[in-house]
Amino acid sequence: MSKIQIFNEKSIPNIPWEDRPDNCQDVMWRYSKNPVIPRDLIPNYSNSIFNSAVISREGQFAGVFRCDDKTRKMVLHRGFSKNGIQWELDPDPIQFKCKDEEIGNFVYGYDPRVVWIEDRYYVTWCNYYHGPTIGVGYTHDFQTFHQLENAFIPYNRNGVLFPRKINGLYGIMSRPSDNAHTPFGDIFYSQSPDMCYWGKHRFMMGPVGNSWQYTKIGAGPIPIETSEGWLLIYHGVLTSCNGYVYSAGVALLDLEQPWKVIARAKPYILSPQTLY
Amino acid sequence: MSKIQIFNEKSIPNIPWEDRPDNCQDVMWRYSKNPVIPRDLIPNYSNSIFNSAVISREGQFAGVFRCDDKTRKMVLHRGFSKNGIQWELDPDPIQFKCKDEEIGNFVYGYDPRVVWIEDRYYVTWCNYYHGPTIGVGYTHDFQTFHQLENAFIPYNRNGVLFPRKINGLYGIMSRPSDNAHTPFGDIFYSQSPDMCYWGKHRFMMGPVGNSWQYTKIGAGPIPIETSEGWLLIYHGVLTSCNGYVYSAGVALLDLEQPWKVIARAKPYILSPQTLY
Amino acid sequence: MSKIQIFNEKSIPNIPWEDRPDNCQDVMWRYSKNPVIPRDLIPNYSNSIFNSAVISREGQFAGVFRCDDKTRKMVLHRGFSKNGIQWELDPDPIQFKCKDEEIGNFVYGYDPRVVWIEDRYYVTWCNYYHGPTIGVGYTHDFQTFHQLENAFIPYNRNGVLFPRKINGLYGIMSRPSDNAHTPFGDIFYSQSPDMCYWGKHRFMMGPVGNSWQYTKIGAGPIPIETSEGWLLIYHGVLTSCNGYVYSAGVALLDLEQPWKVIARAKPYILSPQTLY
Amino acid sequence: MSKIQIFNEKSIPNIPWEDRPDNCQDVMWRYSKNPVIPRDLIPNYSNSIFNSAVISREGQFAGVFRCDDKTRKMVLHRGFSKNGIQWELDPDPIQFKCKDEEIGNFVYGYDPRVVWIEDRYYVTWCNYYHGPTIGVGYTHDFQTFHQLENAFIPYNRNGVLFPRKINGLYGIMSRPSDNAHTPFGDIFYSQSPDMCYWGKHRFMMGPVGNSWQYTKIGAGPIPIETSEGWLLIYHGVLTSCNGYVYSAGVALLDLEQPWKVIARAKPYILSPQTLY
Amino acid sequence: MSKIQIFNEKSIPNIPWEDRPDNCQDVMWRYSKNPVIPRDLIPNYSNSIFNSAVISREGQFAGVFRCDDKTRKMVLHRGFSKNGIQWELDPDPIQFKCKDEEIGNFVYGYDPRVVWIEDRYYVTWCNYYHGPTIGVGYTHDFQTFHQLENAFIPYNRNGVLFPRKINGLYGIMSRPSDNAHTPFGDIFYSQSPDMCYWGKHRFMMGPVGNSWQYTKIGAGPIPIETSEGWLLIYHGVLTSCNGYVYSAGVALLDLEQPWKVIARAKPYILSPQTLY
Amino acid sequence: MSKIQIFNEKSIPNIPWEDRPDNCQDVMWRYSKNPVIPRDLIPNYSNSIFNSAVISREGQFAGVFRCDDKTRKMVLHRGFSKNGIQWELDPDPIQFKCKDEEIGNFVYGYDPRVVWIEDRYYVTWCNYYHGPTIGVGYTHDFQTFHQLENAFIPYNRNGVLFPRKINGLYGIMSRPSDNAHTPFGDIFYSQSPDMCYWGKHRFMMGPVGNSWQYTKIGAGPIPIETSEGWLLIYHGVLTSCNGYVYSAGVALLDLEQPWKVIARAKPYILSPQTLY
């Protein structure tokens, strides 16, 4: 185990860290002072703030946050933090610049991810364009954000880019959906030479019966490149008699053909057991 | 009216034609000897044959047909006819040649369309790949058929190509779907430089309330280029208390930006009123 | 049996009549030359014409017809006939005059009924006003039609007036609904002093399990007053594995308290067995 | 802002009041000692007590309360309080006196509202009569309660009277429904000369897409008459993947034509964020 | 093929037979004078008669028929025929004698099967007892019918006995269901020493994806014992956009362990293609 | 009341007991130190542990527990306790020995019950065998567990044995289901001479409208034999707008014909009001 190497990693000395509690044998554990981001961090405005996408930059932290305002409209806000714990969020939503007026007409967006590829930070999110689909944008400086073409036709959610080109092509995971609380969902892998046109779609993996992930699954944060393959943290859903229950799990993907699953842990690594 | 010109038309002297019956004022009318293709044209094999895609070629006719066999599996068969009325169908399904084994693994396919673009006949169909999506292939001679990458991630149906590049890009219509008898559906327009990667997805049009097309719509045959715009024949669905009812309607699309609808007829031009 | 008397009946010597066929023991039987009204009676316009409401007037016949045009919009047309078999329909829909602009804004309407009460012909129909509800209007001459207030809040269908005031109040049957292909439905009786405000709503009867009327029921034509009670012909629906199946049945209602059901035949009197 | 005047207001010196907390900028805020009414206020009987309708009377407070007993049957109880905080509830449900036996047969009832109009306290509630509808009653003294005719045919909920006649007619809001957890719902306004017959139904307002009120809405407490219009507090519902989420919002209605909405706040003013 | 032997067969010289039409290559073909049983064979009573269970007896034919009367109640009638084509049906439903009053209380029943085992004719049917389940009865003479205990708890349908004990135990197939138009369904095999208590339930086979039998399947007539195994004719259902479509298929079951499927034909052998 | 006698009771001096709190008038009350079994009692393994089946044995306690592991697979674990409060659970699931390989193939199981009958402890549980059904096993010593045939065909849940033969037959309650979160459910009683074959199924009782048990009901722990009848504690479900709500109620069953309900309390005796 100790020989596994994380590729392309950047040292982040000030990353918030809390050791595993005694008596805890879990692979992943909760921060004892959760929640990090209170729901009302933007006063008189935010109903809830979550599904954050945070990166380390210039010794500090920056991120894009899903913020539901008090109309329950979902929008994206940028935020900054020196230590990853105390955050300041821009009270104004991100205004993407877009060459095409129809695409740039922001209706609502949520569940952002941020990743550095080559020379800039790419942002993807679930973007409403006659249905939920995958919005794509970028920023160099977290000041100005540019919006590109949507990666897919609706209906799609959970679009997550890989942090480098693979075989000369950008790679993205997504979960094709319907237009509501979709009761099915697989992860697919798609490829693009230019971040505009996407193709060579490949099935990656689907739900697992009789388990925490039997209804649907979707990619989580940006995959981590290791010597053994891409480490993917993803979410799975089961349908209880009171609705959906979300948990998180892990899988290992082939480095060059990431839609090929090398290994997939059967247990979840995080599940909802605590009330905040 | 008489000044409308059909572009790129090819004279087909032997196209089957029947004049409009007396007393009929409809825009479109039924062939009096329907059905052209009997359901058992492939003996001891076919349950039903329909949704044909026919082109004129070398003074005769060729086509790709949706054939449901007696397991009710949907497959594609090629067929040939001298007069467009009497048809011979190859009793063996089309075997596409495909460079990628996973994509070339034909599970089932239906609702083909055929169109000549530049130097070959392109075939699109609803292709099952972990869900219905849009399969793409081509043939030069109706002997050998080649399969390309699927145009989209599932779930999608009714993929229809435009008969020429527009602004240097191939154009396709499709109807994003869910994984069953989808109760919604708009037509979108997508673009590709190379028939492999697709993007610049644009909403074209959606259902119309209180009408024959209130549940969903989808493109029909290849659009016809005219001096006034692309003439699109499409289908619409209403949900009766006995299920879906399909009718056909027409719209006129902008020549250079085909997702912009210039005009759309409110009445249907064909609806199910006759039992065969 | 022979002592039963129909009240308030008007002699209609020219009413179309066809004797019961030999070998037929049914209470009601089909006209051998059905359909009386062909679906395309209004040329180049009508998709279907049905659920007619016909009365005898000045030795001839007049009626209000549900007509679905070729956009499948449902509207109401008046029609006239000398013999009740050959009909001429006004190709233009009825334009109701209404004092209130918001109520008079006709979106769509269907399933009309016509009844003479006191000094005029009242028309009721399923009228769309932010949902289906019961529209009410009247005419003196089948030339000019006036629209009154809707009888109910949505969602309601199958509004049928009684042909005279009962205990000094107008009486109407209706079937409260939801906003789609409602899978439930009882008949209620409501009362009004002035055809504007309605109240004193009473439950009349509901579906019957394990029968042709297990899903929902609704009033049919205007009830017939007899010495034994009001004779009500109504429809019932069962849900087959291919959707709704409609049949017609009969009940006998108390003359003074019509929501009290004196008798109700278990078998249907007409069911769908013939294809036109 | 300061010029807005509340009409017809009655001074209630002992109304419970708690100033807005520091750091809180909300329009409405929670009482710090919630819940006011514990679920077991009627010992060995009540499962939960809520959706109360409280008025000030003779320097004290009285109210009608929805109480679910331990069979989970919903009934109405009266209660009294000197300070609006400590309440005594009559352990016996209200027994309405009704002239009509069928209407007076109380099956279950919930979500009461109480309002003084002219000379008495009117009570409305969701009353089961072959489906949920709007029950109407009154009391002069909170000792004897009289039941009138139901205002509407089923299926209806959230019936809320206006505190005075408008243009000589009583006014009521309601939300037409289906017979279960209705997934749609608009507010309508209806009018009556006599609290018995209702008509002149007008659409007031409906849900708002992509917001806390996208599934359905319904009126809340009695509207407050101000110089700017009727101030309406109402509830809205969104459908999460775990069911319905209820929030409260505000709108301003025209004084003489209350179905005309002058203004409607986009954000909610209260949403479920605390567990009691 | 010619070496396959039917076991336990009884010569029935007068069985109705019609040779396969020229041009027909199907395994099974339609009788040219269908329908054999007209829907109104019991005058003024039957809405439809079908799903018959017919046996040869004393050189003639007898059977139990599902008859829906004009209330659409489903009951069982016995019938007799000399040639298998002209039938006389007892106009009165079968009255089963039953030792237990609660079980003998016939609510409704349908889809009967009849089979000779050892010394009597057993009848099974879908019997309503707080839900559909499998009723069991017998007759020696088609005059008196005795009812036994239901084979299963609800909800179950399509109970079909094997014509002899296997390994000393009676064998029955059934299709566990829900309480409506069940959208799933496998065939199970159950065993009994005494026709009263049943157990040792074994899964036999289920639906097949992308085929005429993808929604559910259920046993058809009594299996035919051959030297190669039990020949089972069964039905399968696909869900079209207009509801369920039923077809018939065949399978071959192990003689001693009939839940083990030796072979199963992929195509159907009969499907709905003709309107009667 | 004091004359009611519990039959066949065994003195359990060390049974955990806590007196009813002051101010509490409930029939049943919560243990003040709930939860007895923490969700993570099996470290690094259990997601949740509940629906336990505990018996007193040799002065101590033993039980079978539903344990959901971190894949959310449901399995059964045995556990032991000296005082009924502190428990040790075997970290390995119970491995049943079964003569039939197909039946013994444990897919998943949950909601166990344990009861001593005659000479051994019988265990029943919801056992997946091509759908949920009732698994049956036994143990003499809580060391070795034997699995018998499933009591029923799928789909069934909540199988609960009676603690002695009644009229010479084993008795079991169960709740026939569908294959998901079944929205209906009655309790039936079935009988067996040998724990292998089951029959003589009788309807016991069903849901009650407008109450905590209107959606479905199912048996709880082993019934308690008293001089007045079998005391049954069972659960009922109502469907809120956020899903199912489970409560517990009581009924009294006839001693010799347990499907006959002597009495049934209208209120629940326990409902979800506390968060653990």
Side-chain angles (χ1 to χ4, degrees), chain D residues 39 43-48 68-74 107-108 128 181 240 242-246 275-276, chain F residues 23 25-27 210-214 238-243 245 247 266-269 271-275:
Chain D
R39 66 186 308 160
N44 202 25
Y45 173 86
S46 59
N47 172 79
S48 44
D68 296 4
D69 68 20
K70 292 196 174 189
T71 70
R72 297 294 297 259
K73 183 181 169 183
M74 300 176 288
V107 180
Y108 66 79
Y128 187 89
H181 294 300
S240 79
N242 298 94
Y244 288 166
V245 178
Y246 284 75
L275 201 75
Y276 294 120
Chain F
N23 304 326
Q25 297 177 294
D26 294 335
V27 172
N210 298 333
S211 83
W212 58 274
Q213 54 181 323
Y214 86 77
L238 68 76
T239 304
S240 79
C241 66
N242 298 94
V245 178
S247 303
K266 284 189 175 179
Y268 58 76
I269 58 168
S271 79
Q273 303 192 357
T274 306
L275 201 75

Side-chain angles (χ1 to χ4, degrees), chain E residues 241-257:
Chain E
C241 66
N242 299 93
Y244 287 166
V245 178
Y246 285 75
S247 302
V250 287
L252 199 65
L253 313 175
D254 185 84
L255 281 178
E256 295 310 302
Q257 295 181 307

Side-chain angles (χ1 to χ4, degrees), chain A residues 200-249:
Chain A
K200 292 188 177 171
H201 312 287
R202 291 293 179 275
F203 174 82
M204 180 183 286
M205 60 182 185
V208 174
N210 298 333
S211 83
W212 57 274
Q213 54 181 323
Y214 86 76
T215 298
K216 57 180 173 180
I217 61 171
I222 305 301
I224 299 163
E225 191 171 9
T226 77
S227 53
E228 306 305 302
W230 295 100
L231 179 68
L232 173 66
I233 297 175
Y234 68 99
H235 69 267
V237 178
L238 69 75
T239 304
S240 79
C241 67
N242 298 94
Y244 288 166
V245 178
Y246 283 75
S247 303

Side-chain angles (χ1 to χ4, degrees), chain A residues 88-146:
Chain A
E88 282 188 26
L89 261 63
D90 184 346
D92 294 316
I94 295 172
Q95 301 282 348
F96 288 94
K97 298 191 174 184
C98 187
K99 291 178 183 169
D100 188 284
E101 189 178 349
E102 186 177 343
I103 297 302
N105 175 27
F106 197 91
V107 180
Y108 65 78
Y110 60 95
D111 292 359
R113 273 83 173 193
V114 177
V115 60
W116 174 268
I117 312 179
E118 295 164 349
D119 62 350
R120 69 193 72 182
Y121 295 101
Y122 282 95
V123 185
T124 57
W125 69 94
C126 184
N127 185 40
Y128 187 89
Y129 172 73
H130 301 278
T133 185
I134 306 304
V136 183
Y138 66 87
T139 183
H140 291 285
D141 51 12
F142 277 80
Q143 300 300 326
T144 307
F145 289 78
H146 302 270

Side-chain angles (χ1 to χ4, degrees), chain F residues 141-161:
Chain F
D141 52 12
F142 276 79
Q143 300 299 325
T144 308
F145 289 79
H146 302 270
Q147 186 174 353
L148 303 171
E149 290 283 336
N150 294 316
F152 302 111
I153 272 189
Y155 304 90
N156 209 319
R157 292 183 176 96
N158 295 305
V160 178
L161 287 164

Side-chain angles (χ1 to χ4, degrees), chain D:
Chain D
M1 282 285 284
S2 62
K3 294 190 199 157
I4 296 175
Q5 184 183 350
I6 298 182
F7 288 165
N8 302 311
E9 65 181 325
K10 198 171 66 170
S11 174
I12 311 176
N14 61 337
I15 200 166
W17 183 259
E18 200 175 75
D19 283 335
R20 182 154 54 180
D22 295 342
N23 304 324
C24 174
Q25 297 177 293
D26 294 335
V27 172
M28 181 178 284
W29 51 97
R30 283 178 172 77
Y31 180 50
S32 62
K33 303 196 190 69
N34 268 347
V36 171
I37 308 282
R39 66 186 308 160
D40 55 356
L41 186 61
I42 307 181
N44 202 25
Y45 173 86
S46 59
N47 172 79
S48 44
I49 302 170
F50 51 122
N51 285 9
S52 315
V54 171
I55 51 92
S56 166
R57 179 172 174 265
E58 299 173 355
Q60 302 194 354
F61 297 91
V64 177
F65 296 77
R66 168 180 167 178
C67 176
D68 296 4
D69 68 20
K70 292 196 174 189
T71 70
R72 297 294 297 259
K73 183 181 169 183
M74 300 176 288
V75 287
L76 304 178
H77 287 250
R78 59 183 184 146
F80 301 96
S81 172
K82 291 191 176 165
N83 57 9
I85 301 291
Q86 273 78 34
W87 282 88
E88 281 187 28
L89 261 63
D90 184 345
D92 294 318
I94 294 173
Q95 301 283 348
F96 288 94
K97 298 191 175 184
C98 186
K99 290 178 183 169
D100 187 283
E101 189 177 350
E102 187 178 342
I103 296 302
N105 175 28
F106 197 91
V107 180
Y108 66 79
Y110 59 95
D111 292 359
R113 273 84 173 192
V114 177
V115 61
W116 175 267
I117 311 178
E118 294 165 348
D119 61 350
R120 68 193 72 183
Y121 296 101
Y122 282 94
V123 185
T124 57
W125 68 94
C126 183
N127 185 40
Y128 187 89
Y129 172 73
H130 301 278
T133 185
I134 306 305
V136 183
Y138 67 86
T139 183
H140 291 285
D141 52 12
F142 277 79
Q143 300 299 325
T144 306
F145 288 79
H146 302 270
Q147 186 174 353
L148 303 172
E149 290 282 336
N150 294 316
F152 302 110
I153 272 190
Y155 305 89
N156 209 320
R157 293 182 175 96
N158 296 303
V160 178
L161 287 164
F162 279 71
R164 65 164 173 85
K165 281 188 174 177
I166 300 170
N167 293 317
L169 298 168
Y170 295 105
I172 197 170
M173 289 172 286
S174 71
R175 199 206 67 193
S177 305
D178 69 13
N179 60 356
H181 294 300
T182 315
F184 57 85
D186 305 324
I187 301 179
F188 284 76
Y189 181 78
S190 302
Q191 305 174 59
S192 172
D194 53 12
M195 278 279 180
C196 178
Y197 302 102
W198 293 87
K200 292 187 176 172
H201 311 287
R202 292 294 180 274
F203 174 82
M204 180 183 284
M205 60 182 184
V208 175
N210 298 333
S211 82
W212 58 274
Q213 53 181 324
Y214 87 77
T215 297
K216 57 180 173 180
I217 61 171
I222 305 301
I224 298 163
E225 191 171 8
T226 78
S227 51
E228 307 305 302
W230 294 99
L231 178 69
L232 173 66
I233 297 174
Y234 67 100
H235 68 267
V237 177
L238 68 75
T239 303
S240 79
C241 66
N242 298 94
Y244 288 166
V245 178
Y246 284 75
S247 302
V250 286
L252 198 66
L253 312 176
D254 185 85
L255 281 178
E256 294 311 303
Q257 294 180 308
W259 64 91
K260 297 193 173 169
V261 178
I262 298 169
R264 186 175 177 185
K266 284 189 176 179
Y268 59 75
I269 58 167
L270 197 67
S271 80
Q273 303 192 357
T274 306
L275 201 75
Y276 294 120

